[in-house]
Amino acid sequence: MMSTSTLTEFSRDGLTFDVIDTGPRDGDPVILLHGFPERASSWEQVAARLHEAGLRTLAVDQRGYSPRARPRRVRDYRTTELADDVAVLAELLHEQTGRRPHLVGHDWGSAVAWTLAMRHPDLIRSLTAVSVPHPGAFLRSEFTSTQFLKSWYFVPFTAPFVMTALARRPRLIDPMLRRFGMTPAEVARFHTGIVGYGVLPYGLHWYRAMALADRGLLAEQVRVPTTLVWSDGDVAVGRHGVEGTAARMAPEADYRLVVLEGVTHWIPTQAPEPLAAAILARVAAS
């Protein structure tokens, strides 16, 4: 019998992850993965629109963001580890509902979602990646386009203590966040939900663990039905990697690209309606 109980947490390897489980209990499940520097609550507006269409959403505070899932070593934040965390949730949902979930990720959550789709394609019905293209296409764009200029922030993000020191000085870090397109309300949530909640050092470990990534995945094709949603106002992610993603898709993936015009990087909070529409179109076709 299908379980309709609310799922507020799940565990893996001694770590416990908090989940915001909302929407119709009998709806098809959709896992929502946030990026940096955001948390599960960033999906609130998108989730509301998915609920109206009859879907159940499960937004996760991922590794380093959930207080009971904060290992200290950088190596514990490799993307494969992050993806395997979500794989546990996908398996649990399948066990409880008899349905494979749809997967949606934004920013770093997109990188985790791509990795899960490549490592465990049997666990999900579809993938909607938001803002960040296929990891192999993104890395190639670093060397073949101006993407490396857009990625300048990797330097302070990976340097020890730089960002944590800046975060204590709003007059220095706030202009940087606004440069990336954050609104004043989003900057305020960074200070309360990321800095004040103790997330920042662990969220930065995601960047520092990039050097330990599984390089073999960069050449992997994605075989699940996939939509990439990108916005042309994104100052962090350029068009070159986005256009290169199609070559990383298997024919059966039914790959689609949705470009939102005039929207910044923060699509889930600043353009929830067109993003929800893209997700719903992917779900309906899968």
Side-chain angles (χ1 to χ4, degrees):
M1 180 179 295
M2 183 180 73
S3 172
T4 58
S5 59
T6 300
L7 198 160
T8 60
E9 62 184 45
F10 69 96
S11 297
R12 173 180 176 245
D13 291 347
L15 305 177
T16 300
F17 302 86
D18 297 324
V19 180
I20 302 174
D21 180 0
T22 47
R25 299 295 84 195
D26 60 348
D28 282 349
V30 181
I31 298 174
L32 303 171
L33 304 178
H34 63 81
F36 176 87
E38 296 178 306
R39 289 173 48 203
S41 56
S42 64
W43 290 106
E44 184 178 18
Q45 296 181 74
V46 174
R49 288 162 171 81
L50 300 185
H51 300 160
E52 292 173 358
L55 298 176
R56 172 187 179 186
T57 61
L58 299 101
V60 184
D61 267 345
Q62 297 182 80
R63 183 174 292 220
Y65 294 78
S66 288
R68 293 173 291 170
R70 292 178 178 172
R72 295 187 178 277
R73 301 181 305 177
V74 170
R75 64 182 295 181
D76 292 326
Y77 292 84
R78 291 169 293 176
T79 310
T80 48
E81 288 293 328
L82 305 170
D84 286 350
D85 293 340
V86 182
V88 169
L89 176 58
E91 290 177 326
L92 182 60
L93 286 169
H94 188 213
E95 178 182 307
Q96 291 185 348
T97 68
R99 305 173 186 175
R100 289 179 297 147
H102 301 274
L103 184 61
V104 182
H106 172 247
D107 186 76
W108 262 109
S110 181
V112 174
W114 283 112
T115 303
L116 177 59
M118 290 184 280
R119 284 169 60 85
H120 306 291
D122 56 312
L123 294 183
I124 59 174
R125 285 178 60 186
S126 74
L127 165 64
T128 302
V130 187
S131 297
V132 176
H134 183 286
F138 183 77
L139 182 62
R140 180 176 174 78
S141 72
E142 292 278 6
F143 300 100
T144 58
S145 72
T146 59
Q147 179 59 51
F148 75 98
L149 295 174
K150 294 178 178 291
S151 300
W152 64 268
Y153 59 92
F154 282 21
V155 175
F157 281 16
T158 55
F161 311 118
V162 171
M163 286 299 296
T164 50
L166 285 175
R168 292 193 292 268
R169 297 169 174 82
R171 68 183 182 84
L172 297 178
I173 198 169
D174 289 6
M176 177 181 174
L177 297 174
R178 290 195 295 268
R179 177 177 176 180
F180 282 103
M182 277 191 165
T183 65
E186 289 162 347
V187 172
R189 284 197 296 271
F190 165 78
H191 288 290
T192 57
I194 300 298
V195 179
Y197 200 55
V199 170
L200 187 59
Y202 305 101
L204 293 171
H205 279 352
W206 290 42
Y207 289 90
R208 293 165 185 152
M210 288 189 298
L212 306 175
D214 182 351
R215 302 297 179 185
L217 287 173
L218 298 175
E220 287 284 336
Q221 283 192 321
V222 174
R223 303 185 180 281
V224 300
T226 298
T227 295
L228 171 58
V229 181
W230 176 74
S231 47
D232 64 4
D234 193 324
V235 300
V237 181
R239 185 180 294 272
H240 195 271
V242 171
E243 293 178 343
T245 293
R248 310 287 176 148
M249 309 303 298
E252 63 267 29
D254 180 31
Y255 174 66
R256 303 176 183 181
L257 171 62
V258 175
V259 177
L260 304 182
E261 296 182 356
V263 179
T264 76
H265 179 76
W266 313 102
I267 296 175
T269 53
Q270 297 182 11
E273 188 166 351
L275 174 55
I279 297 169
L280 291 171
R282 171 44 60 200
V283 168
S286 304

